[in-house]
Amino acid sequence: MQFFSGKSVRSVWLKTMLITLCTALLACSDNSGQKHLAQTKPKPDPYTIRFVTINSPSTYFIDSQNNYAGLEYDLAKRFVEFLGPPYKLEFIVVDSFDKVFPTLLRGDADIAAADISITPARKRQVLFGPAFNQVQAMVVYNRDKNSEPNNAEALLEKRIVLPKSTSFVDRMRELQSKSPALTWKETDKLSSEQLIEAVARNEIDFTVADNHLVAIMQYNYPQLDAGMMLGQADKIAWALNKLHGEERLQQMQAFFKKIEKDGTLRNLLDRYHGHTKRLKPVDVTAFLSKSHTLLPKYVRLFKSAQEITDIDWRLLAALSYQESHWDNYSTSPTNVRGLMMLTEQTSNMMNVTDRLDPKQSVMAGAKFLLWMKDRIPSRIPEPDRTFMTLAAYNNGVGHLEDARIIAQKLGLNPDSWADVKRGYQLLNDPAYYVNARHGYCSCGAPVIYTELVRSYYQIMQKYFPTYDPGVDPYKIAETKMPWLLAKAS
């Protein structure tokens, strides 16, 4: 065994300590460099417009056809198209509203588009673009479990939950200043939509939400209702970071000025909210009840009709409900009959031998709807073209064309359902119908009809899945039926 002298031991010890110290210093230097590199964000592409938003029926979602949708999404898409190439669109979806502003303020997004109310506190933090919508905060309650809350006292000692960092919290604090006993909880785990669902399930007593979201949710949960209003109506706008948002703000102002002038904004607001006031809770309740009792007998027929026409079976079912309430023996005073309420003329056109035969009725109604759609200009974008087709199914394509002509003469867009509705409503005015090719029309009816079908279709989309028949050699996207056109001429 070899022993070291004291001098050798000290030498070895000093060398060891020196090596250890150098290694540690190098490690610290490397870690510091790595940390610095990790903190340095790559410079964002100046031509990629990053929008931060949340998932909700009024902002951004994937619809039943697997397409991106929502008012905020459609506006953002059109804004980037307005800027033109080489600008591109990117969406950053956060899981709660209280993450929207932090994402914007730390520079991870360029624009916040999440149904944001303009408030004095927020104006101190961010720049707001032009207001494009107006909403009213409402107390949401379950009418089956609670009385209508029409004052602060009705909210005391109740289970109230609000989405964190929203303007609803500010509204409740204003109310609390007058009623100090008022309390509530705040959450960043549940969205406004989820909290409304919790009210519907009686898991909480109340929440607060904007009136347009409440109207949408009432189609899914007819036991919901809106009680007292909190504060004044709020304006909705996009938000920008104050540090570098001035140039983008000018672009935004020009964009909203354009779409307000050309009717695009009006059309988009109508697309997402124009039909939400048509159904009463009792109507929704009856529809949901019959969708479980009567509809199952006919689902296969609607899906078979989709295979032939490529029209969503749920839209056909909604149309049928509006026509007959799925009563196969329904007959009107004007002798329209069956599930799709076919006239004798339409039945002859479609070779229907028995209008009370559900199979013949559904298939003929679907083919007739598709034939109507083929007579409407293909340049009209969806979903407006479908809305006009529904109106034509109810009251003929002639009155539809008259309404489109009137809309055009008024300086409106004849290819926008929101504007054509205004044309329809003037066809009972002598100043307009005397010059209309098809004359007088009590044309509030097809407008209401179309909006009701839209409403029932929205409920169907919530509760019933899409149907994918796969590759079908007989499926068609447009009417290619010479025999049908020949019979119609």
Side-chain angles (χ1 to χ4, degrees), residues 325-343:
H325 283 202
W326 298 322
D327 176 2
N328 185 48
Y329 298 100
S330 180
T331 303
S332 79
T334 56
N335 199 35
V336 293
R337 309 187 74 188
L339 281 178
M340 304 297 279
M341 295 298 276
L342 302 176
T343 65

Side-chain angles (χ1 to χ4, degrees), residues 349-365:
M349 180 180 175
M350 295 293 169
N351 290 329
V352 173
T353 59
D354 182 2
R355 286 182 286 167
L356 299 184
D357 176 2
K359 184 176 181 180
Q360 291 190 59
S361 182
V362 170
M363 192 62 71

